[in-house]
Amino acid sequence: YFDRSIDGDRGSGKNSTERPVDQYKNATRPFGIRSKFLGSLFGLRYSFQHAVRPGRFVNDVGFRVLGLPAAVVAGGNFTRISEEEVAAIQNETGTELRLDTAVRIDFEKPVMWLGNKRLLPLIVSLGSRAQSPPVTLCTTYMDDKIRLALAAKGGRLVFTRGGKATRAFASDWQTIEGKRPLSGGVVGT
């Protein structure tokens, strides 16, 4: 869940007088059309961020393309940032990050898979153009069910445990991570 864009609506081109509800009125209706048919062919299935070991996250966003399951998976390593870096972010963006939980996540090139992951999925590297720039954030609250985070540019993030994350497909990224993308060029370069 994101309450607004990751950049905190800074530079996103959104009209600041627009009510938050209006900004997202078409988010659940592809192209503004109410259509169960289109929703069955194209749609978000899930969005996970797995903390897989100390210093490592894996983002996994699943969706449907023409009714086929697909996902984009990008791993990233995180490191704590220094007091000087936290101060520089506050001077630049006005966001006050907590020093004790502030980290920078450096993401790898994402990989997309399409089709049944157990049989013969099509796996392609999306290349460096699709690679996310480093993300800096801090955890502002965490318990056994929820983690709240604040991004360097003001975006607020909510991560939860349970729900779809307990279902079998939540670990599909592990199967895909062990396979190599198609040889040759990458998509988007």
Side-chain angles (χ1 to χ4, degrees):
Y1 165 76
F2 299 96
D3 72 338
R4 52 192 170 157
S5 66
I6 193 74
D7 72 350
D9 274 348
R10 295 185 179 109
S12 63
K14 293 283 184 193
N15 180 349
S16 62
T17 61
E18 191 174 20
R19 295 178 318 155
V21 172
D22 294 337
Q23 292 177 7
Y24 304 106
K25 65 184 174 190
N26 290 326
T28 59
R29 296 186 309 216
F31 313 108
I33 299 170
R34 290 181 189 248
S35 170
K36 289 186 179 186
F37 176 71
L38 282 178
S40 69
L41 294 177
F42 304 96
L44 180 68
R45 295 172 47 224
Y46 57 82
S47 179
F48 300 129
Q49 183 177 75
H50 302 282
V52 296
R53 64 178 183 271
R56 178 89 173 150
F57 283 122
V58 173
N59 287 350
D60 179 9
V61 179
F63 50 96
R64 283 184 306 277
V65 176
L66 299 175
L68 294 173
V72 173
V73 177
N77 296 312
F78 69 89
T79 54
R80 291 198 180 271
I81 61 173
S82 69
E83 187 173 353
E84 293 79 19
E85 290 172 296
V86 170
I89 289 168
Q90 183 173 354
N91 288 338
E92 182 182 328
T93 67
T95 303
E96 293 184 34
L97 297 179
R98 290 179 48 173
L99 177 62
D100 60 330
T101 63
V103 297
R104 182 183 64 247
I105 306 171
D106 295 301
F107 287 101
E108 300 156 356
K109 296 173 189 170
V111 173
M112 183 178 81
W113 64 268
L114 176 66
N116 185 320
K117 69 141 182 111
R118 289 173 186 85
L119 297 177
L120 188 60
L122 174 65
I123 303 170
V124 292
S125 171
L126 297 180
S128 58
R129 285 187 173 169
Q131 188 172 355
S132 174
V135 173
T136 304
L137 55 81
C138 72
T139 299
T140 58
Y141 175 81
M142 185 169 67
D143 63 23
D144 62 339
K145 294 281 184 188
I146 191 167
R147 176 170 59 107
L148 304 178
L150 177 63
K153 294 184 180 177
R156 294 179 181 96
L157 300 95
V158 177
F159 301 95
T160 60
R161 290 186 184 171
K164 288 185 177 182
T166 61
R167 302 198 35 206
F169 63 80
S171 61
D172 284 357
W173 66 271
Q174 293 171 327
T175 303
I176 302 306
E177 189 176 54
K179 297 181 186 285
R180 299 188 64 77
L182 291 174
S183 60
V186 295
V187 176
T189 57

